[in-house]
Amino acid sequence: MAKFNSLEDIFADIEREIAEALLETGNETSRNMQRIISSLVYGGYTPLVYQRTGNLRESPRIIKISSTSMTVGVDDDRDRGFEGTATMSEIIDRFTRGTVIAQGSEYEKGQRKDNYREPIPLAQELMKELNRVEEIFISKLKRKLPLKSITH
C-alpha cells in the first residue's frame, strides 16, 4: 500500500489513477469496437475484385482524452476513398441500412439480385459497446484505488 505525506499526495495519486483508468478504458473500448467491425463487416464476405484497406476496422479510437474525461469514437478522417468521399460514420450507417454495394463479393453469385450487402446491426453493436464505457471505467478504477465502494 502506498504511503502519503499529505492530502495533496493522496489527491495527486487519485488523479493519476483516474487518468490511467480513462486511458485503459478508451483503449479497451476501441479494441472491442474494432473486433465488432472485424466480425460484422470483414467477416461477412470476401471481396473478389478489390483489396480491403482495413481502414474501417482501425477507425475506432480515443478521440479526446484529458486527466478527467475521455471520448471514444470513430475517426471520420481515416478513409476518403470508400464509395466516394464518405466518412467512417456514413460508412457505418450504410452497412447498418444495407446500402453498401457488394460488388466483387460472393453476393454477386445471385444471393441478392440488387447487389447490396444485407443490412447488419453495425451501428447498434458499436453503440452497445460505447454504452459500456462507464462500466469498464468503474471496474478498472476499483482495481486501482483502495476504496471499499465505488458506485456509479
Side-chain angles (χ1 to χ4, degrees):
M1 178 166 244
K3 293 187 179 188
F4 303 101
N5 296 321
S6 68
L7 281 175
E8 289 80 23
D9 290 347
I10 293 171
F11 292 134
D13 187 59
I14 291 171
E15 288 173 1
R16 199 172 25 261
E17 295 294 354
I18 288 171
E20 190 174 303
L22 284 169
L23 179 61
E24 290 175 11
T25 299
N27 287 333
E28 181 176 329
T29 301
S30 297
R31 282 191 305 273
N32 291 343
M33 290 172 70
Q34 289 169 357
R35 278 194 284 277
I36 290 166
I37 291 170
S38 287
S39 173
L40 292 177
V41 174
Y42 292 89
Y45 73 100
T46 303
L48 302 173
V49 175
Y50 63 91
Q51 185 174 6
R52 289 181 167 154
T53 64
N55 288 344
L56 179 61
R57 177 181 37 239
E58 301 303 317
S59 66
R61 66 178 184 87
I62 297 173
I63 304 294
K64 182 180 175 184
I65 191 164
S66 71
S67 62
T68 59
S69 69
M70 179 262 312
T71 304
V72 175
V74 174
D75 180 357
D76 267 339
D77 295 327
R78 293 288 277 186
D79 188 15
R80 297 286 181 191
F82 183 86
E83 291 194 352
T85 58
T87 66
M88 291 298 174
S89 297
E90 292 166 337
I91 294 166
I92 289 168
D93 182 60
R94 289 177 187 179
F95 275 108
T96 303
R97 289 185 294 118
T99 59
V100 172
I101 295 176
Q103 188 173 20
S105 75
E106 60 193 42
Y107 288 102
E108 283 189 313
K109 296 175 185 168
Q111 293 182 6
R112 285 191 78 189
K113 292 182 180 170
D114 58 4
N115 202 31
Y116 284 92
R117 282 197 63 183
E118 294 287 338
I120 56 175
L122 184 58
Q124 296 89 333
E125 293 300 317
L126 293 174
M127 282 309 298
K128 279 184 198 174
E129 186 58 34
L130 288 172
N131 289 332
R132 292 187 57 238
V133 165
E134 183 179 353
E135 170 192 330
I136 294 167
F137 173 72
I138 294 295
S139 76
K140 292 189 178 302
L141 200 55
K142 281 182 177 180
R143 280 186 251 135
K144 293 179 171 300
L145 295 176
L147 302 175
K148 290 187 179 194
S149 176
I150 299 175
T151 60
H152 44 139

